[in-house]
Structures are given as structure tokens and as C-alpha cells.
Amino acid sequence: MKQPAFRALLLLVLIGCTAAAHSQTGSKPKQFSQFPDQITCSETMLADIFRNPAGASISISFSPAFSFDGAVVNNIVKYSNLQSAVIRSPYFHNSIFSLSRITNKDNSITYVGRIIHKDFADGYELRQNASGLYQLTKIETDRVMPDCSQQ
């Protein structure tokens, strides 16, 4: 192979590799950038979510500036101490709010959950702070959702 042709081929291979690497690490848009990093949630509001059957429309007002409206996809009791509900919101590009209610051995209740969409860079995770209050805390989805695609 002649030198100029070899260099041109090498350049094309390098450009292809760079493009492939960029597409794997390309940045996703943020969906919740206009909302606060933390939003306090009441336990009563979280408990009320579990009163809705699958197929029901629901509006969850986390704050005056942020509500998650959608349909209950499922609401099931997995074990005697675990109930999980999933809500899908068309207003947030079909993001899901997955919420679980855990009954502890002392009969206290703990809630865990996430608002997430695989095509967006941000979401929320429900956490209990040191004071015992529940808060939605903004997260980066790539840190909590592994990429399982094979290249």
C-alpha cells in the first residue's frame, strides 16, 4: 500500500474510533434542571400513593412547583412486608416513579423510590434524611443505571 493511501486509511480508522467513543459517552439531556435539588415529601403523601390501583390516574404534588402526574402501572404486594407501586408520567416523557413501602420488624414503615428515565441524565431518589424526613434528591442516572448494552 502506498504511503498516502495508508495515511488516509489510518485517518479514517481514527475518526471512526473517535466517533464511536463519543457516541458511547455522549451527554444526555437533563429533564429536571428547572426543579430544586431536594424536595421534601410527607409520609402521608407517600402512603396515599399505595391507595391507588393499577390503571388509576394520579397526581402527586411534591411541592407547589413540582407535581408528578400519570397513571399507576402497577401496585403490588410482593411479600407481607413489601409493597411496590410504579407510576408513569406522560408529562415527563414517560418517566417512572417507582416507590416501595417496607414494613420493618418493629412495624415502622420505610419508603424508598426513584423518578427516572433511561434517556435523561438526571432523576430523583427518595431518601430519608438525618432528621427522619423524606426528600427527593436529584441524582445522575448514569450512576444508578448501568449500561448493559453490548458493543
Side-chain angles (χ1 to χ4, degrees):
M1 188 179 286
K2 295 184 180 182
Q3 197 72 352
F6 178 73
R7 286 185 182 169
L9 181 61
L10 182 60
L11 180 62
L12 285 174
V13 169
L14 289 174
I15 290 171
C17 290
T18 303
H22 178 68
S23 68
Q24 291 175 7
T25 60
S27 62
K28 296 177 185 177
K30 290 192 174 186
Q31 181 168 223
F32 299 108
S33 59
Q34 72 272 23
F35 298 108
D37 289 346
Q38 292 188 329
I39 301 169
T40 302
C41 307
S42 74
E43 287 187 55
T44 304
M45 180 198 59
L46 296 171
D48 286 346
I49 292 170
F50 292 98
R51 299 179 207 271
N52 294 280
S57 292
I58 187 170
S59 179
I60 307 164
S61 182
F62 290 110
S63 75
F66 182 62
S67 73
F68 194 84
D69 303 339
V72 177
V73 176
N74 66 35
N75 182 353
I76 56 174
V77 176
K78 293 221 178 214
Y79 305 103
S80 62
N81 65 339
L82 177 64
Q83 184 173 2
S84 295
V86 175
I87 298 122
R88 181 175 315 182
S89 176
Y91 304 103
F92 290 105
H93 307 281
N94 288 322
S95 291
I96 59 166
F97 177 33
S98 176
L99 179 67
S100 294
R101 176 173 58 191
I102 302 159
T103 304
N104 301 307
K105 290 186 182 203
D106 64 358
N107 285 329
S108 63
I109 303 291
T110 301
Y111 295 97
V112 295
R114 288 189 177 139
I115 297 175
I116 205 160
H117 191 293
K118 67 180 180 66
D119 294 336
F120 290 91
D122 60 348
Y124 281 101
E125 184 170 45
L126 184 67
R127 297 178 182 162
Q128 195 170 21
N129 67 16
S131 303
L133 297 174
Y134 285 96
Q135 293 180 316
L136 286 172
T137 303
K138 204 172 280 186
I139 57 171
E140 293 179 28
T141 57
D142 287 343
R143 292 184 182 213
V144 296
M145 291 175 44
D147 181 10
C148 297
S149 64
Q150 295 182 1
Q151 301 299 328

